[in-house]
Each structure stands twice: as C-alpha cells, then as structure tokens.
Amino acid sequence: HRVACPEYCVSPTKPITFKSDGADRWGSIYVHAPGTARFAYATFENGGGERFNDGATIVGIGDDEPPLADPLIFVDNVTIKKSRGTGIWLQRRSTFIEGSKDLTITESGDDEAPFPLEISDQAIDSVPTGKYTGNKTDEILIRTEGDGMAGSGVVNDSTLHERGVPYRMNDFSGSHFVVGGASDGRITTLTIEPGVVMKFHPETGFMVQLFSTDQPSTGVLKAQGTADKPIVFTSASPTPAAGDWRGIWFGGIPQAANVLDHVRIEYAGYDCACALNTCSNIENHEGAVIFSMQPPSAFITNTVFKEIAGHGVTQGFDGTLVNFRPTNTFE
C-alpha cells in the first residue's frame, strides 16, 4: 500500500515517535516491494524485538529481480536508537529512495547484528548523509547478492559515498564484491569517494568483472583519493595480517577509464584460486591487484601496498610489462 502524507504532517516542530508501549521491545516495520514508505522528522526507539531480520527496526525487502533495484524507503531527519540489532536492513535489491538524507542510527546493535545499517550491494549508491556512530560496531555492512553470473553484482553506475564510518564488505568467507557483468554487456562504473574505507571479511575479494575473457571488461573502478583523504582497502579482521583477503581482481581487458590514485591496499593476498596465462615465471598468482589481461596503462598511482602475502601487482597475461613501480610504494 502507498500511504500519502500531506505537507502538514512533516514538520520539525511536530516530530513523530515510534516507541514501546511498556518495557518490552516492539518489533519491526516491514516495507515490501512494490510498497514504499516515507519517514520525515521521525524517531524510532527500542525496536527490533523480533527474532528475525537481524533485530532490525526497519526492514526493506525488494522483489529481487535483476538488474533493477527497488527504491522503497525515504528518510529525512530520521533517528533510530536502541534497536536490538541493526537499525535498518535493506535486502533483496531494496534501496533508499533518491533524496534521502540526515539519517542517524545510534545506541544500536548486539553481538549477532552489531552494525547500524545493513544493505545489499545494490543499495550502495543510496546511503543517506547522517551519523552512524555510537553503536556496537560503527560500520555499514554491505552484503553481496547474486552469484557473480550475468546480471548480478553492481550492474548500475554507482558511487560509494564517504559517510564517516567504514564499510564492512560481507560477513561470510568466500564471497565477492563484483562490479560489472550486466547481461546486456553495458559498462558499469563504480566511483569511490575520497576517505572511504572498505574492510573486507577474510577470504573475500573485490572483482572488477568476475570472469576473465579476451574482451573488454564490463566493469570500471574509479577510486580517486587525495593525500589527506586516501581511499583504503583493508582487512576486517580484528587482528589483521598479510593474506587476510583476496585483493582486487580485474577480469577481461581493463578499460582505460579505470583509475586508482592515492589509495592504500593492505593485508591482501589470500589464495585467488585462479589460473593465469603468463610468459613470466610466476610461481604464485596471489597479489593485492591481479590482472588477467594486459591493462592499457599503469593506472594505479600514488598508492601504498602494505603487508601483502604475495605480489603487490600480478600481471597474469602474455604481453608487455606495465610498470607500476615508479609512482607507488610497496611496504
């Protein structure tokens, strides 16, 4: 159902509060496609009392039909506090509605669901401005959906915004965050803002097109940090060590539009489970960045590779050496 709200019910002087009737927690608000919900100047307290959906106060559930996402929830000056688990969980390709802003989630989370916000990879472009601190774990959890086949992963141009807390990439081993792979072959660009920190769960990876072919890649990564606000790809382990996560894989012939500048790549180099074609004597293919086909240029610049189990850059192809050493630092 679509519930219309006249202008007079959206007011900073007349906020709306959802809270318990008594000492026990109340449950959750569910928004299921094709339904939508709009909340403005509203506070939700002590929710998430149900056993399911990670104790979330608000749950968005899309129709899970690729490649389109489902914008279901709009927020404007909304506060969620003391949620048993996560504050908002967007699943099955559901996203925030364009224009959402000023979302605060605080004093929320437990051991099973410690994050203020859980979203699918389809929702990364829609994360509102706001505050996500003061919770059990002050990180935004991104869960990947799909299996990396055509049409899954991030297949629409998106921006990963800097929202003041790190992004936790998945919470189970062996998963991949994938950019590109649209079934119609179009190119998908992921832009990452300066200052973003992506913390990868052990044994997971970042794939710019999952599969390697001899054709141009359908994924593009634009990660342009600054000297003051580098972009960081690192381990989510509480005791990080070299080889925790797989690193960044480029499948297919990398597009000329790729750029990584003022980036830090740390603790990568877990077994890539890959077979690469190369004329050089590479005994192990693991690395922080792995190319399956020759890149058009050394588009990684002003970047620090730190504590890598394996190579900083693996060039797994027959072709000309692309020299990444002059502008980068390997520690």
Side-chain angles (χ1 to χ4, degrees), residues 134-327:
N135 304 285
K136 181 75 173 180
T137 299
D138 289 333
E139 299 172 2
I140 295 172
L141 175 63
I142 297 178
R143 297 177 181 270
T144 56
E145 295 184 342
D147 56 6
M149 302 299 289
S152 70
V154 179
V155 294
N156 298 302
D157 289 349
S158 301
T159 298
L160 192 60
H161 301 282
E162 201 283 308
R163 293 298 187 233
V165 297
Y167 291 92
R168 173 73 67 92
M169 309 307 294
N170 274 310
D171 58 353
F172 60 94
S173 300
S175 57
H176 304 302
F177 176 69
V178 181
V179 177
S183 56
D184 59 5
R186 70 183 184 278
I187 297 173
T188 300
T189 299
L190 174 66
T191 301
I192 302 178
E193 291 185 342
V196 164
V197 176
M198 300 174 73
K199 300 175 70 172
F200 288 83
H201 189 81
E203 302 179 22
T204 65
F206 188 155
M207 310 293 183
V208 184
Q209 182 170 298
L210 180 61
F211 296 111
S212 181
T213 70
D214 60 359
Q215 299 299 311
S217 174
T218 59
V220 171
L221 174 59
K222 291 185 176 181
Q224 293 180 277
T226 67
D228 294 332
K229 297 183 70 174
I231 294 167
V232 179
F233 303 101
T234 190
S235 168
S237 170
T239 56
D244 279 349
W245 64 289
R246 293 177 185 268
I248 304 173
W249 160 275
F250 286 87
I253 303 173
Q255 296 282 345
N258 284 296
V259 58
L260 281 78
D261 185 58
H262 286 101
V263 170
R264 291 182 64 86
I265 306 176
E266 304 173 337
Y267 308 113
Y270 181 76
D271 182 7
C272 68
C274 54
L276 299 172
N277 183 36
T278 175
C279 58
S280 58
N281 184 22
I282 300 178
E283 295 182 357
N284 298 301
H285 296 141
E286 287 71 31
V289 176
I290 301 175
F291 291 103
S292 60
M293 298 295 289
Q294 183 172 335
S297 67
F299 59 76
I300 304 174
T301 55
N302 300 305
T303 289
V304 175
F305 294 79
K306 179 181 178 182
E307 296 290 339
I308 308 301
H311 311 288
V313 178
T314 296
Q315 304 197 34
F317 52 83
D318 287 335
T320 304
L321 174 70
V322 181
N323 193 356
F324 290 91
R325 286 178 291 181
T327 65

